[in-house]
Every structure is written in structure tokens, then in C-alpha cells.
Amino acid sequence: MRQQIVAGNWKMNTTLEEGLELTKSILEKVEKPRGLVVVAPPLTHLRDVGKMLKVRKYFHLAAQNCYQEEKGAFTGEVSANMLASVGTEFVIIGHSERRLYFKEKNDVLAAKVNVTLARGMRPIFCCGEPLHIREVDTHVGYVAKQLKAGLFHLKEEDFRKVVIAYEPIWAIGTGRTASSLQAQEMHHAIRVLVAKKYGKAVADDTTILYGGSCNAQNAPEIFSQPDVDGGLIGGASLKADDFAAIIAALK
Ligand code: 13P
């Protein structure tokens, strides 16, 4: 069944103390969400935030990244096994900031998807085009390539565990949101692509989130689109009131 999800990607923000305070406020403000709520704090907070979220069944813990190798001499990196061992349930993979600043390429992202699934966690796989691609109207093909390279090697059983997040790069942290129609157009194109590869039943069950300057004001209209199943939220997930209002906009 297709799930409605709002996921908060805190990125590199909050001290542990601030993160725990934010989690407490979110838990206080969100009563009965119409879907799943996923929180992706920084690595250092995972265990403590996870313990707080565990008391409520709709809340789930995510990491913002993982390393693609199982274990070994990779100083500074964290494996999927380590993330799973502190209660992580989802892993954000292929965020445009990872692709841009850390030069993560498709083969590495596909490997991260594999290790995440192998450890029983669910990838939130990000895709999305930069502005110059949108301007020449090749955005659908661009995103299709990202999905094929990162996900379409999976068997159906594994693909069913994946959440896709469409995040147009020009809309991330810029205050410039995709219009609800632009979001719907891309989400529909992604669903058609998934249907071609895995069949209509799988495509209908696939959760596709929108991300990019999503806030309490624009979330209701974006989430109302038939192929938008919730959001991956950056800046607005750092304010409990805003995050709660976005969660309340789930259909
Ligand atoms: P903003 O909501 O701050 O634009 O960030 C979106 C994002 O990158 C979530 O992963």
C-alpha cells in the first residue's frame, strides 16, 4: 500500500541538546498523523532521538547518509550495520547536497541503496534536476536517468521498500518551490517510469515525496496532488510548529 510520509531532514543543524528539545516539541505537537513521520537528525543524535520517537508508533528514525562498504578501514565513515544497530529505519540516499559537495555518483549511490536494504532499512532515494536542466525542459529525462542508475537494479521485493523523494535542486533552501503542477507532472512521470519497470501495481504502491522549500503554507496544495505522497522537509522541519503544520497537511 502507498504510504503518506512527511520526513524532516535536519541536515547539519542542532546540537544534541537542541535536537532533543526539538524532538520533544514535535512529539507534543503531532497527535495522530495521517501517515508516517520520519525524523532524520544528525548522526550524533540518532540513538537519543530514536529512543524518544520509539514511544509513538507513527514516528520513525532516519539517517542522512551511510557509507557503501560493510566495514573496515574507512576512517570517519559510518556503515549501514552501525546505523541499524542504533534503531535507524530509513536512510536518505543521493541527496543533491551529497551529490554536489561529496561528489557521490550513481554507482556509489546504488551501492548505498544495497547496503541499506541488506541491513533491513528503507532507502529514501533523492532525485531532482538543477535549474539549467529545467530551463531546457529535459528534467523528466534527467530524473529518469538518476532513478534507473540508482534503483532499477533492484528486485521488485526490494524496490517496494524504497521511498522516492523528488527534490528539484533549484527549490532547495531557496524559498522557490516547484508549483503544485510542476511537482505533479514530475511525480506522475516517475510513477509511469516505475510502472514500466516493475508494473502498475508496484507503481501505485510507491511513495513519492516532494522536497524543496516546502512549508506550512504551500504543503496543503502540493500534497493535494494525486501523485504526491508527502514531503521531505529541510528548513521547516527545524521548527516544531511548522513541521507539525506540514504533517497536518497530509491527505
Ligand atoms: P528545504 O526544505 O530547506 O528547501 O530543503 C529541502 C531538502 O533538501 C530536504 O532534504
Side-chain angles (χ1 to χ4, degrees), residues 63-209:
Q64 299 174 17
N65 180 36
C66 75
Y67 198 57
Q68 64 272 21
E69 298 291 340
E70 278 289 323
K71 62 174 179 177
F74 302 103
T75 301
E77 291 297 335
V78 170
S79 72
N81 194 23
M82 293 169 192
L83 295 176
S85 76
V86 294
T88 306
E89 299 163 275
F90 291 82
V91 183
I92 299 173
I93 295 171
H95 193 281
S96 58
E97 288 149 18
R98 302 273 342 154
R99 293 179 192 257
L100 179 66
Y101 303 133
F102 304 97
K103 311 283 177 243
E104 292 186 359
K105 296 273 180 285
N106 288 328
D107 54 338
V108 163
L109 299 178
K112 290 186 183 216
V113 166
N114 293 343
V115 291
T116 295
L117 287 163
R119 291 296 170 182
M121 298 178 292
R122 299 179 60 186
I124 299 176
F125 187 84
C126 302
C127 56
E129 79 286 355
L131 187 59
H132 70 274
I133 294 291
R134 164 75 52 174
E135 282 173 346
V136 294
D137 208 23
T138 53
H139 46 288
V140 171
Y142 186 94
V143 166
K145 264 194 196 148
Q146 291 179 320
L147 295 177
K148 282 180 189 161
L151 293 178
F152 282 8
H153 61 286
L154 295 174
K155 291 199 280 263
E156 178 185 323
E157 186 195 344
D158 278 334
F159 183 83
R160 279 182 170 278
K161 297 172 190 150
V162 174
V163 172
I164 295 173
Y166 168 57
E167 299 203 310
I169 296 171
W170 46 272
I172 296 178
T174 57
R176 184 177 164 186
T177 338
S179 70
S180 54
L181 289 181
Q182 285 173 321
Q184 169 57 23
E185 179 212 33
M186 182 61 88
H187 283 229
H188 180 69
I190 292 171
R191 212 176 290 288
V192 168
L193 198 71
V194 173
K196 272 193 195 139
K197 171 73 184 168
Y198 293 101
K200 187 170 181 311
V202 175
D204 284 346
D205 282 353
T206 302
T207 296
I208 310 175
L209 308 181

